[in-house]
Amino acid sequence: MYKILIGFLVICHSFAEMTIDITQGQMAPTPIAVTPLYGATTTSVEVGRKISAVITANLERSGLFKPVDEKAFVQTMASLEKGPKFSEWRLINTHILMQGRVTEDKGHIRVEFKLFDIATEKQMEGWALKGTLDEWRRMAHKISDVIYKRVTGESGYFDTKIVYVSKVGPKGRAVSRLVIMDQDGFNPLYLTSGQSLVTSPRFSPNLHQITYLDFVNNKPRVWLMNTNTQKKELVGNFPGMTFAPRFSPNGKEMVMSLAKDGQTSLYSITLASKEVKRLTREPVIDTSPSYSPDGTKICFNSDRAGRTQIYIMDKEGGSPTRISYGQGSYRSPIWSPRGDLIAFVKITGGTFYLGVMRADGSGERLLTQGWIIDDVCWAPNGRVLMFTRGDKKHTKSYTIDLTGYNERQVPTATDSMSSSWSPLIP
Amino acid sequence: MEKWEMSFKLFTSLAALVALAACESTDETRSGMHDWPTPSATVEGPVPGSAEHFKQNGQDRVFFGFDQSKVSPDAAKTLEAQAAFAKEYPSTNYLVEGHCDERGTAEYNMALGERRANSVVKTLVAHGVDKSRLQTVSYGKERATGQHDMDRNATTVVR
């Protein structure tokens, strides 16, 4: 049994009498043997190996699985075709075994796979997938999602996209471009040319649309883009600059900030009718709005009480209630897709933290810290968070498990920020 | 002794005279050859009322404290000079850009940058500049260079 124990990490600030606990994570990654898919032709053997490698990488990166080294495998692919020898796999401490085959016909492939529980010697899953040969990567992600769900009990997040802002060049003068890619960094595609400054892309729940901020003609405003056609459209006709956009969970409305005359307020817009509703009116900064997953509430940060704090209000703007009361500033709250937690950035004592709290403000936990932490978002399963970590020279996107364990850099070719996770692709 | 010194002085001044004459003759030859109306073209300075002129006075930027958008006494002086320039060149229009340092969240800093730009606009209007000549934009932390004191600014640009 592998057990990775991340102990209490207590950071003491010299100038403030406080201690901050970075959450303790306890993880026991499940040992899994992802065997190469069996194939009868050269092409099917090759594609079978590639699919297994992508599955292995996905599961390893999640931190919840520990892939068994291929060199330790106790059966050949051909022998596995006749069934697993459970006792032998048990000897090398394998808990789960994945085995399967690929058949190929004129550019189409059919992938079958089975999942076995070594302890009970029972089959857990058995599925077949069909597609064109060049869809092998998506098949690998779909299989990863099935395995993840069966073993962890939570839905997966592998057959998803990430959109982020690529930054190239010296700080302050870097060229920024939107990039969309698979969650594991493959198939990157530039969505903008780099001519204007862009930031904060976010996926629509209907997947093929993003909203983002574009400074075209020195006017920072919220835009929509179809990621397939790359057609762009301005959102609404607002008198000032608009930013911090988010879709409602049904994708029919958006909420965003409008800044004008030194005041930043929240507005919603119904996309079909273009009907605009003003949600807040205080002479303050209200920004970073995010809908609850049931669409009835909005959390946001506001400096109406001095330092920025997190508030929750009805989606029409009624009864704003402060929920954060800890030391420092709280910013960029974002509701978990599960609805129970709100993730946020906390700034205190000159350090930035990524944290989560319950939607009523209780149970605050800090997951990680840095020179700059920003742009927090959730994987569609609400188990993994993604964020930007910046040091004095670079900014990169990272993922981290909700327990505060398994922080990983998101594989991007350039400096990256403002990463956002798509829903699961159906 | 004195006599020697005297003749030395005479010699040096004669030498200088000869050198000067040589120079003059060279200049004459050149101007004769090319027939330039102005033998020494130099940049006189920016066109009055231009963006370069505005910047040259060192008055295009004001700085702010951490998470602040209040105009400091130093900034007030700069803005007074900006307003005087704007009044002297009534055909000029301005874009006031609000900027923040990198140590904040991007979205909050967009709002803070707008607040800073708006503080500058309010001050310029108070000094008699017509509001219709002033536009604002916030770059938040998007243009931050990492030099925090310099990054927290509002820059006025002649359009």
Side-chain angles (χ1 to χ4, degrees):
Chain A
M1 180 83 94
Y2 294 86
K3 233 177 200 160
I4 296 174
L5 195 74
I6 307 297
F8 262 105
L9 191 62
V10 181
I11 293 119
C12 300
H13 291 269
S14 51
F15 49 89
E17 298 82 34
M18 60 171 186
T19 56
I20 289 172
D21 302 337
I22 298 287
T23 202
Q24 75 283 23
Q26 191 177 6
M27 315 268 293
T30 305
I32 183 167
V34 180
T35 62
L37 301 174
Y38 176 82
T41 65
T42 323
T43 310
S44 54
V45 168
E46 191 193 327
V47 88
R49 284 206 157 269
K50 288 198 287 193
I51 288 173
S52 295
V54 168
I55 297 169
T56 305
N58 279 340
L59 297 177
E60 192 280 327
R61 227 174 29 255
S62 77
L64 301 179
F65 293 84
K66 184 178 168 43
V68 174
D69 188 349
E70 194 181 332
K71 291 187 205 93
F73 288 174
V74 293
Q75 279 184 279
T76 63
M77 306 316 108
S79 138
L80 267 168
E81 284 278 285
K82 292 177 210 128
K85 295 174 180 162
F86 293 105
S87 57
E88 291 184 32
W89 287 101
R90 215 160 19 233
L91 276 179
I92 62 160
N93 199 25
T94 301
H95 290 196
I96 311 281
L97 171 73
M98 193 211 85
Q99 171 260 331
R101 62 198 339 255
V102 188
T103 47
E104 173 233 346
D105 183 32
K106 296 181 195 123
H108 285 73
I109 50 172
R110 183 172 187 278
V111 178
E112 282 176 22
F113 77 96
K114 289 176 187 165
L115 208 60
F116 296 97
D117 183 348
I118 300 296
T120 60
E121 306 195 355
K122 291 234 164 68
Q123 185 185 312
M124 303 163 79
E125 294 283 350
W127 292 94
L129 295 86
K130 275 195 306 193
T132 57
L133 184 57
D134 57 14
E135 286 176 311
W136 67 269
R137 237 174 212 294
R138 278 207 61 203
M139 290 183 174
H141 293 318
K142 287 225 168 283
I143 295 169
S144 306
D145 282 329
V146 171
I147 298 172
Y148 184 95
K149 186 170 186 183
R150 185 65 181 78
V151 175
T152 68
E154 306 184 52
S155 71
Y157 55 87
F158 299 114
D159 191 21
T160 54
K161 294 272 184 184
I162 286 171
V163 62
Y164 69 94
V165 177
S166 149
K167 289 272 186 187
V168 176
K171 237 182 195 180
R173 287 179 291 128
V175 173
S176 63
R177 297 174 76 181
L178 295 184
V179 182
I180 191 169
M181 66 179 189
D182 298 351
Q183 54 75 29
D184 59 354
F186 285 85
N187 298 320
L189 176 73
Y190 283 102
L191 295 175
T192 62
S193 67
Q195 272 177 325
S196 57
L197 179 60
V198 287
T199 162
S200 57
R202 278 99 198 234
F203 277 99
S204 156
N206 8 323
L207 196 68
H208 296 299
Q209 197 177 38
I210 55 166
T211 180
Y212 66 106
L213 184 59
D214 197 323
F215 282 70
V216 62
N217 296 328
N218 276 331
K219 284 186 182 140
R221 287 183 297 185
V222 170
W223 290 74
L224 290 174
M225 185 197 285
N226 180 310
T227 54
N228 289 338
T229 62
Q230 288 163 36
K231 255 180 95 173
K232 297 188 270 187
E233 183 194 331
L234 191 64
V235 181
N237 188 18
F238 291 95
M241 41 177 266
T242 47
F243 57 100
R246 294 259 177 212
F247 285 97
S248 66
N250 65 10
K252 290 181 179 162
E253 288 165 54
M254 283 175 65
V255 62
M256 65 185 86
S257 278
L258 168 74
K260 196 176 174 293
D261 302 329
Q263 180 177 336
T264 295
S265 306
L266 299 177
Y267 288 73
S268 68
I269 181 167
T270 306
L271 289 171
S273 66
K274 310 276 184 221
E275 189 199 337
V276 171
K277 213 171 277 169
R278 184 166 185 179
L279 307 180
T280 64
R281 292 173 183 279
E282 315 261 320
V284 297
I285 291 176
D286 292 336
T287 191
S288 296
S290 157
Y291 283 94
S292 60
D294 66 3
T296 63
K297 290 188 160 57
I298 291 171
C299 63
F300 62 102
N301 72 238
S302 173
D303 65 352
R304 57 185 68 191
R307 282 185 137 168
T308 48
Q309 299 291 342
I310 301 173
Y311 294 77
I312 290 180
M313 65 180 179
D314 301 336
K315 86 177 207 14
E316 308 292 339
S319 51
T321 310
R322 178 172 164 183
I323 63 160
S324 66
Y325 285 94
Q327 232 166 348
S329 301
Y330 289 79
R331 301 223 181 125
S332 303
I334 176 144
W335 224 303
S336 151
R338 295 172 179 174
D340 54 343
L341 296 174
I342 289 173
F344 55 85
V345 172
K346 174 172 171 147
I347 307 170
T348 185
T351 300
F352 285 54
Y353 298 87
L354 165 62
V356 293
M357 59 171 73
R358 288 193 206 100
D360 64 2
S362 67
E364 176 176 325
R365 267 191 313 128
L366 300 176
L367 307 183
T368 189
Q369 60 157 3
W371 168 249
I372 294 166
I373 303 270
D374 201 356
D375 310 317
V376 184
C377 79
W378 295 88
N381 71 350
R383 166 87 207 208
V384 179
L385 291 127
M386 187 159 57
F387 61 97
T388 304
R389 171 188 287 288
D391 61 23
K392 287 180 183 172
K393 284 200 173 127
H394 297 284
T395 64
K396 288 274 189 184
S397 299
Y398 290 79
T399 54
I400 191 167
D401 191 87
L402 185 51
T403 57
Y405 164 71
N406 195 38
E407 185 170 331
R408 303 279 182 116
Q409 198 173 304
V410 176
T412 55
T414 62
D415 271 18
S416 62
M417 57 190 296
S418 256
S419 291
S420 178
W421 222 310
S422 82
L424 266 178
I425 302 171
Chain B
M1 243 349 195
E2 271 185 6
K3 208 175 174 189
W4 183 86
E5 207 175 299
M6 190 82 132
S7 60
F8 177 74
K9 270 188 183 161
L10 190 67
F11 172 77
T12 47
S13 45
L14 264 175
L17 209 65
V18 170
L20 200 65
C23 285
E24 271 170 8
S25 76
T26 316
D27 269 0
E28 257 170 27
T29 320
R30 278 198 187 146
S31 66
M33 269 174 75
H34 299 285
D35 198 25
W36 281 355
T38 46
S40 57
T42 56
V43 176
E44 182 193 292
V47 175
S50 68
E52 288 71 25
H53 183 203
F54 185 76
K55 254 169 121 171
Q56 203 188 38
N57 291 345
Q59 63 189 9
D60 63 327
R61 271 199 294 182
V62 293
F63 299 97
F64 295 90
F66 179 72
D67 205 2
Q68 292 294 313
S69 55
K70 270 203 189 82
V71 173
S72 70
D74 266 4
K77 268 185 226 153
T78 308
L79 295 179
E80 214 178 314
Q82 286 188 7
F85 185 98
K87 279 186 245 171
E88 201 178 335
Y89 302 101
S91 64
T92 51
N93 292 313
Y94 301 86
L95 177 67
V96 182
E97 302 174 351
H99 296 277
C100 303
D101 69 42
E102 62 187 350
R103 302 217 64 212
T105 49
E107 293 180 338
Y108 176 80
N109 280 9
M110 281 298 292
L112 179 61
E114 198 271 343
R115 242 187 206 170
R116 285 175 177 164
N118 186 64
S119 292
V120 166
V121 165
K122 267 165 65 183
T123 309
L124 293 176
V125 169
H127 283 299
V129 181
D130 196 309
K131 207 180 172 192
S132 65
R133 296 170 65 194
L134 306 166
Q135 282 212 334
T136 58
V137 64
S138 172
Y139 279 93
K141 63 190 257 186
E142 305 299 327
R143 292 278 182 248
T145 62
Q147 282 183 279
H148 300 155
D149 295 347
M150 302 292 280
D151 284 339
R152 292 190 291 264
N153 73 73
T155 304
T156 308
V157 182
V158 178
R159 309 180 79 195

